[in-house]
């Protein structure tokens, strides 16, 4: 079972059990300890996870954090836990105090459903007031799973997490502001657009009128955007259906060969790397893989005619094939999966090629 499946399984557990969880300690045992295990850490190994670690704060002695995840005898992630029904906004100051006296670079405040990750982007060694990553495990997005995976024991790298933390923090805050404005436009937001189409003074009456018009225009634009996406998807499906009808023998051959296909962990790891790279260009939910006997394809929109790249790992020399403007493979020998990062620009160009043809 891969990381994504394990997280989804944990989400199902939370939804099923939460109404029966009456205490904070039960929340830890039922939800948070399994979450720590999902990140690859053994909650029963004190070299990896220390429960109730002492974090003395000034003259206050014996203050304890619920869990500290350790690496090389140093804390790397402090975890403060609350009951699943508690509002985390009431408890972030407690984690802040622990963070400021610890060598840990990251703090996590959670009630077993919401997970808020903090660091010190604004002022060194002082925890930011707002998290750079917030996850609802019962409604987790693919992009969030990729970010969460960076905290896994096998992949944990402080610099890699920090490199994306700033972007995550501010894009998250901007999305929240945009969502709020779209749902209930503020006067300044309405005036900004009203002045683009109306030359006179914006009176209170006009402001009320333009507030209604702005909300309506936003709704219409979103509906048009969704409609265009659906039309594009339907056209793609129709084209694939026509091609499949034209070549039924090839379709039968693929089905007959399915039993001979073995997807390796190395291929899946390559897929995760490509997804991580290409998230700068497109939503990661649009990136999928298909395995064949001789190669492993990574596709855009689950469309076999939109290959981003292909892996040839079944030979002594391993290759990654980027896609040229004629949709032909250009093979590059690689020594390790880290070499996949060398061809990021080629993946981006290929995605641009597909997107510009829509």
């Amino acid at each position: 079972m891969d990381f994504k499946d394990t997280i989804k399984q944990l989400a199902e557990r939370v939804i099923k059990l939460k109404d029966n969880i009456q205490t904070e300690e039960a929340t830890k045992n039922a939800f948070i300890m399994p979450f720590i295990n999902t990140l690859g850490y053994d909650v029963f190994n004190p070299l990896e996870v220390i429960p109730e670690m002492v974090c003395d704060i000034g003259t206050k002695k014996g203050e304890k954090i619920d869990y500290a995840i350790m690496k090389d005898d140093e804390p790397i992630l402090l975890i403060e836990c609350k009951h699943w029904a508690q509002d985390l906004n009431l408890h972030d100051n407690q984690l802040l105090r622990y963070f400021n006296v610890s060598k840990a670079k990251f703090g996590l405040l959670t009630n077993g459903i919401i997970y808020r990750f903090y660091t010190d982007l604004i002022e060194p060694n002082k925890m930011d007031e707002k998290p750079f990553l917030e996850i609802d495990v019962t409604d987790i997005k693919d992009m969030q799973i990729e970010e969460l995976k960076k905290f896994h024991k096998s992949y944990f790298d402080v610099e890699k997490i920090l490199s994306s933390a700033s972007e995550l923090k501010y894009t998250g805050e901007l999305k929240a502001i945009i969502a709020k404005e779209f749902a209930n436009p503020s006067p300044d937001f309405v005036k900004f657009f009203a002045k683009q189409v109306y030359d006179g003074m914006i009176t209170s009456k006009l402001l009320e009128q333009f507030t209604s018009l702005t909300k309506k225009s936003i709704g219409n634009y979103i509906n048009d955007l969704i409609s265009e996406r659906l039309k594009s998807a339907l056209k793609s499906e129709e084209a694939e259906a026509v091609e499949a009808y034209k070549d039924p023998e090839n379709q039968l051959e693929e089905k007959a060969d399915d039993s001979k296909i073995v997807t390796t962990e190395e291929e899946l790891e390559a897929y995760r790397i490509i997804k991580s790279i290409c998230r700068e260009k497109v939503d990661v939910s649009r990136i999928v893989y298909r395995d064949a006997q001789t190669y492993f394809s990574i596709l855009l929109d689950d469309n076999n005619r939109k290959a981003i790249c292909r892996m040839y790992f079944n030979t002594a020399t391993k290759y990654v094939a980027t896609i040229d403007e004629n949709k032909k493979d250009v093979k590059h020998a690689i020594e390790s999966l880290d070499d996949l990062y060398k061809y990021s620009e080629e993946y981006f160009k290929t995605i641009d090629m597909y997107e510009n043809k829509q």
Side-chain angles (χ1 to χ4, degrees):
M1 186 179 296
D2 66 11
F3 184 70
K4 179 178 178 180
D5 291 334
T6 308
I7 290 294
K8 296 288 187 183
Q9 190 178 69
L10 177 61
E12 292 171 5
R13 175 187 178 88
V14 170
I15 293 168
K16 181 180 178 181
L17 298 179
K18 67 186 178 85
D19 291 331
N20 297 303
I21 303 297
Q22 303 300 320
T23 66
E24 181 180 305
E25 201 63 31
T27 301
K28 293 180 190 177
N29 293 336
F31 300 160
I32 299 169
M33 288 173 66
F35 176 82
I36 295 172
N37 276 331
T38 298
L39 293 181
Y41 299 96
D42 182 356
V43 293
F44 302 110
N45 182 351
L47 298 178
E48 293 187 0
V49 181
I50 299 179
E52 299 291 313
M53 189 181 83
V54 174
C55 290
D56 290 337
I57 304 170
T59 57
K60 284 189 174 183
K61 302 299 180 182
E63 293 286 305
K64 297 176 181 179
I65 189 80
D66 288 303
Y67 298 102
I69 293 181
M70 310 294 289
K71 182 179 181 181
D72 300 327
D73 297 324
E74 294 288 352
I76 57 174
L77 176 63
L78 301 181
I79 305 176
E80 180 65 15
C81 308
K82 300 300 170 186
H83 180 256
W84 70 266
Q86 285 195 339
D87 182 356
L88 293 182
N89 292 324
L90 305 176
H91 300 286
D92 51 359
N93 284 337
Q94 190 174 2
L95 177 62
L96 185 148
R97 295 198 305 271
Y98 295 144
F99 183 93
N100 292 346
V101 297
S102 166
K103 293 182 180 179
K105 196 66 177 174
F106 303 102
L108 171 58
L109 177 63
T110 181
N111 58 13
I113 297 176
I114 305 298
Y115 290 82
R116 293 179 177 174
F117 290 85
Y118 297 81
T119 188
D120 55 353
L121 294 171
I122 296 175
E123 188 176 337
N125 304 317
K126 183 178 179 180
M127 192 182 90
D128 299 334
E129 291 184 6
K130 295 181 179 179
F132 67 88
L133 178 63
E134 179 170 330
I135 291 170
D136 180 341
V137 76
T138 64
D139 185 28
I140 193 165
K141 309 296 188 296
D142 283 352
M143 181 273 286
Q144 293 175 326
I145 291 176
E146 291 303 313
E147 294 300 328
L148 181 59
K149 187 180 175 183
K150 293 177 182 177
F151 286 92
H152 193 281
K153 178 182 176 182
S154 301
Y155 308 103
F156 187 86
D157 185 306
V158 172
E159 296 306 319
K160 284 184 179 180
I161 298 173
L162 289 176
S163 68
S164 60
S166 179
E167 180 184 342
L168 286 169
K169 174 181 169 65
Y170 294 117
T171 53
E173 290 178 17
L174 286 170
K175 281 172 67 178
I177 293 169
I178 291 168
K180 183 178 178 181
E181 292 287 2
F182 277 16
N184 187 23
S186 65
D188 287 340
F189 186 81
V190 173
K191 285 178 183 178
F192 173 80
F193 290 102
K195 287 177 181 178
Q196 313 297 315
V197 296
Y198 184 79
D199 294 329
M201 180 180 291
I202 307 297
T203 63
S204 297
K205 186 175 180 180
L206 276 170
L207 183 62
E208 184 179 344
Q209 180 184 353
F210 272 107
T211 298
S212 176
L213 290 172
T214 301
K215 287 183 71 172
K216 186 176 181 180
S217 298
I218 289 169
N220 289 341
Y221 174 72
I222 292 173
N223 288 336
D224 289 346
L225 199 61
I226 293 170
S227 179
E228 287 301 315
R229 288 287 179 90
L230 288 172
K231 285 179 183 177
S232 176
L234 286 171
K235 285 180 182 178
S236 177
E237 287 179 7
E238 287 171 2
E240 288 188 22
V242 169
E243 289 299 322
Y245 178 77
K246 286 179 181 177
D247 193 7
E249 291 183 6
N250 183 56
Q251 196 175 40
L252 289 172
E253 183 182 344
E254 284 187 10
K255 287 182 179 179
D257 288 343
D258 278 352
S259 61
K260 299 178 182 178
I261 296 171
V262 177
T263 302
T264 66
E265 181 57 36
E266 187 177 39
E267 289 171 332
L268 291 174
E269 183 58 26
Y271 166 60
R272 296 178 195 118
I273 290 172
I274 300 300
K275 280 181 69 175
S276 177
I277 294 170
C278 294
R279 63 181 290 274
E280 295 182 25
K281 277 285 180 183
V282 293
D283 190 310
V284 292
S285 64
R286 297 177 63 191
I287 302 172
V288 302
Y289 71 80
R290 288 191 199 173
D291 204 355
Q293 280 185 267
T294 55
Y295 57 80
F296 179 86
S297 293
I298 298 175
L299 313 172
L300 184 66
D301 298 329
D302 202 10
N303 188 333
N304 216 26
R305 291 165 184 78
K306 290 185 179 181
I308 298 171
C309 59
R310 295 188 179 95
M311 308 296 160
Y312 292 84
F313 288 176
N314 297 330
T315 56
T317 301
K318 294 180 171 62
Y319 298 91
V320 57
T322 53
I323 312 300
D324 68 14
E325 63 274 12
N326 297 314
K327 296 189 178 181
K328 301 296 183 184
D329 285 8
V330 180
K331 288 186 176 181
H332 312 274
I334 61 172
E335 294 182 0
S336 73
L337 293 183
D338 286 343
D339 291 341
L340 296 176
Y341 290 96
K342 295 178 182 178
Y343 306 102
S344 299
E345 289 303 318
E346 280 80 355
Y347 312 144
F348 294 163
K349 287 177 184 176
T350 301
I351 291 172
D352 286 339
M353 177 176 68
Y354 297 139
E355 296 287 84
N356 293 334
K357 286 185 178 180
Q358 290 184 359

